[in-house]
């Protein structure tokens, strides 16, 4: 990640706060972010950091209102999943969580006061010929329509999917995120940089042991990361034993309630056939073990709710994510290539 693009330019408020406390050398040497770590225990700095995050949430709220006509509350937890729409990235797992919370609110099992107000933001594009991905996009929009217009939710849960997610929107959304969704099946994700950008901008990660999540977890510590799900060897063992997704459906009433709601037409204006392909793929195939990881994911999201209620503690964890993720600088990566691959001298940055 280049700190000039995805911190200094994208997040000027946070950049200014960092510079006020450790100087501006960090933009050319991101390892200097480690000097922020003692400030995680400084109440005044935590308050200033929280104010920066709140201002960034206000900024993206203005962008979404102007650009898309979408109204969101900056006072809610911003739960963000932005990445290419693909089954292995498991947007369906996030969807099942949303539907399960909505169903429990509708049934009275949860009251609105039981959950932290949350705005779930999807950003994604799908390959033109990828039929299942296009159907998942339809499910996201169907769920959003029902959740956002249900009085039973009392403004505690909102789902938004702004069109044409691109770098310009990312530069506004990433600095505003509270929770970074990195939930692909272990063993499938190449090491992308989205999770790094979120952590460097003060979002906490909920994720599996996949891709760069492994390095983020090692750097920030388990207490500052919401880990769930099967690891790569457990995925292999589960598939080799002959994975039966239907068994998870039968044994987990929360999961069963969510899938039945999708299948019944509750989120497709009464058309019980509209989402049938997506439901069938999960119940009878599920190559990316969405149903196997659902229970662990829901439990991790409950921990997110608990942690977010302590705003001071959340800010502390977010600061430590920023302070400990300087390793992910593109400058360091290029220097590695210079030293280890190209054997060429580095040219100092101006």
């Amino acid at each position: 990640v280049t700190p000039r693009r995805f911190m200094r330019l994208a997040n000027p408020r946070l950049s200014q706060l960092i510079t006020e406390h450790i100087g501006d050398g960090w933009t050319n040497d991101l390892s200097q972010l480690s000097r922020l770590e003692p400030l995680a225990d400084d109440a005044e700095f935590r308050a200033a950091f929280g104010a920066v995050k709140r201002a960034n949430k206000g900024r993206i709220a203005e962008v979404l209102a102007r650009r898309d006509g979408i109204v969101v509350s900056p006072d809610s937890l911003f739960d963000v999943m932005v990445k290419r729409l693909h089954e292995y990235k498991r947007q369906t797992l996030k969807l099942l969580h949303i539907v399960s919370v909505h169903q429990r609110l509708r049934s009275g099992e949860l009251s609105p006061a039981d959950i932290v107000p949350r705005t779930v933001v999807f950003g994604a594009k799908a390959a033109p010929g990828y039929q299942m991905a296009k159907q998942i996009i339809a499910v996201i929009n169907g769920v959003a329509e029902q959740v956002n217009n249900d009085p039973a939710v009392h403004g505690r849960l909102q789902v938004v999917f702004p069109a044409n997610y691109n770098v310009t929107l990312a530069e506004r959304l990433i600095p505003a995120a509270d929770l970074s969704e990195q939930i692909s099946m272990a063993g499938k994700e190449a090491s992308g940089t989205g999770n790094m950008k979120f952590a460097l901008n003060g979002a906490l990660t909920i994720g599996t042991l996949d891709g760069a999540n492994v390095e983020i977890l090692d750097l920030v510590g388990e207490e500052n990361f919401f880990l769930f799900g099967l690891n790569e060897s457990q995925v292999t063992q589960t598939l080799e034993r002959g994975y039966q997704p239907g068994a998870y459906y039968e044994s987990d009433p929360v999961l069963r309630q969510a899938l039945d709601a999708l299948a019944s037409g509750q989120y497709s204006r009464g058309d019980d056939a509209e989402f049938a392909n997506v439901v069938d793929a999960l119940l009878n195939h599920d190559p990316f073990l969405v149903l196997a990881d659902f229970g662990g994911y829901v439990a991790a999201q409950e921990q997110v709710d608990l942690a977010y209620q302590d705003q001071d503690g959340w800010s502390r964890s977010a600061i430590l994510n920023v302070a400990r993720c300087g390793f992910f600088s593109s400058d360091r990566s290029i220097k590695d290539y210079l030293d280890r691959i190209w054997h060429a001298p580095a040219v100092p940055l101006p």
Side-chain angles (χ1 to χ4, degrees):
V1 176
T2 169
R4 272 82 62 191
R5 180 69 180 270
F6 280 99
M7 291 186 73
R8 192 173 67 181
L9 291 178
N11 200 343
R13 291 182 178 91
L14 179 60
S15 297
Q16 181 179 349
L17 181 65
I18 293 170
T19 296
E20 286 171 356
H21 286 81
I22 67 170
D24 63 2
W26 63 273
T27 59
N28 288 338
D29 177 10
L30 207 58
S31 68
Q32 291 188 29
L33 290 180
S34 63
R35 294 165 57 195
L36 294 172
E37 188 155 343
L39 293 170
D41 293 318
D42 182 316
E44 186 175 339
F45 186 80
R46 289 196 302 271
F49 186 92
V52 164
K53 180 64 72 172
R54 176 60 173 74
N56 286 338
K57 291 162 78 170
R59 180 178 66 164
I60 189 61
E62 292 173 1
V63 169
L64 291 175
R66 181 176 65 251
R67 176 185 180 271
D68 301 282
I70 296 171
V71 177
V72 298
S73 171
D75 295 318
S76 61
L77 185 160
F78 277 21
D79 177 351
V80 180
M81 185 174 191
V82 291
K83 50 188 74 255
R84 182 163 55 96
L85 205 304
H86 198 289
E87 287 168 274
Y88 86 79
K89 292 181 182 290
R90 303 201 299 187
Q91 282 88 355
T92 46
L93 181 56
K94 179 75 247 176
L95 272 170
L96 287 173
H97 171 243
I98 295 165
V99 171
S100 71
V101 172
H102 184 223
Q103 289 296 310
R104 294 170 75 193
L105 283 168
R106 292 186 61 177
S107 69
E109 182 183 345
L110 289 175
S111 73
D114 290 331
I115 64 171
V116 167
R118 186 184 294 234
T119 299
V120 180
V121 183
F122 287 95
K125 293 179 180 177
Y130 192 173
Q131 183 179 15
M132 180 57 72
K134 298 299 181 71
Q135 291 175 338
I136 292 169
I137 289 172
V139 179
I140 294 171
N141 284 297
V143 169
E145 179 182 16
Q146 294 303 312
V147 169
N148 297 345
N149 292 289
D150 188 344
V153 173
H154 292 286
R156 310 292 283 194
L157 180 63
Q158 183 179 9
V159 183
V160 300
F161 192 179
N164 193 31
Y165 179 73
N166 55 25
V167 173
T168 301
L169 188 59
E171 288 176 327
R172 299 295 181 266
L173 181 57
I174 289 171
D178 294 304
L179 186 67
S180 165
E181 298 274 352
Q182 308 296 332
I183 59 176
S184 55
M185 184 181 80
K188 288 300 294 183
E189 183 68 82
S191 191
T193 62
N195 47 5
M196 306 172 194
K197 292 167 186 168
F198 280 107
L200 281 165
N201 281 277
L204 274 60
T205 303
I206 183 168
T208 52
L209 276 176
D210 197 33
N213 287 356
V214 176
E215 294 167 293
I216 293 174
L217 177 62
D218 286 344
L219 289 166
V220 307
E222 289 188 14
E223 67 277 14
N224 302 305
F225 187 110
F226 299 98
L227 178 66
F228 78 95
L230 303 174
N231 61 33
E232 189 171 352
S233 64
Q234 290 169 331
V235 164
T236 300
Q237 291 167 11
T238 299
L239 293 172
E240 287 177 348
R241 285 198 301 264
Y243 175 54
Q244 299 292 328
Y248 290 88
Y249 169 84
E250 295 295 342
S251 64
D252 186 338
V254 175
L255 174 60
R256 186 165 63 251
Q257 182 184 45
L259 281 166
D260 286 351
L262 286 175
S264 70
Q266 287 186 41
Y267 296 94
S268 47
R269 302 185 182 186
D271 184 350
D272 59 7
E274 185 168 350
F275 300 154
N277 285 348
V278 176
V279 173
D280 177 71
L282 289 170
L283 274 176
N284 297 307
H285 307 286
D286 193 18
F288 304 111
L289 306 188
V290 171
L291 303 197
D293 272 347
F294 175 79
Y297 182 62
V298 169
Q301 288 287 2
E302 289 172 354
Q303 291 303 307
V304 169
D305 267 15
L306 287 173
Y308 195 74
Q309 291 175 54
D310 175 9
Q311 280 291 287
D312 197 47
W314 186 280
S315 289
R316 183 180 186 279
S317 287
I319 292 164
L320 290 174
N321 268 260
V322 176
R324 294 173 177 176
C325 283
F327 173 81
F328 296 118
S329 171
S330 58
D331 303 328
R332 181 206 57 78
S333 182
I334 291 167
K335 187 176 185 303
D336 260 5
Y337 273 90
L338 288 168
D339 293 343
R340 298 166 56 189
I341 307 298
W342 299 325
H343 306 293
V347 177
L349 289 166

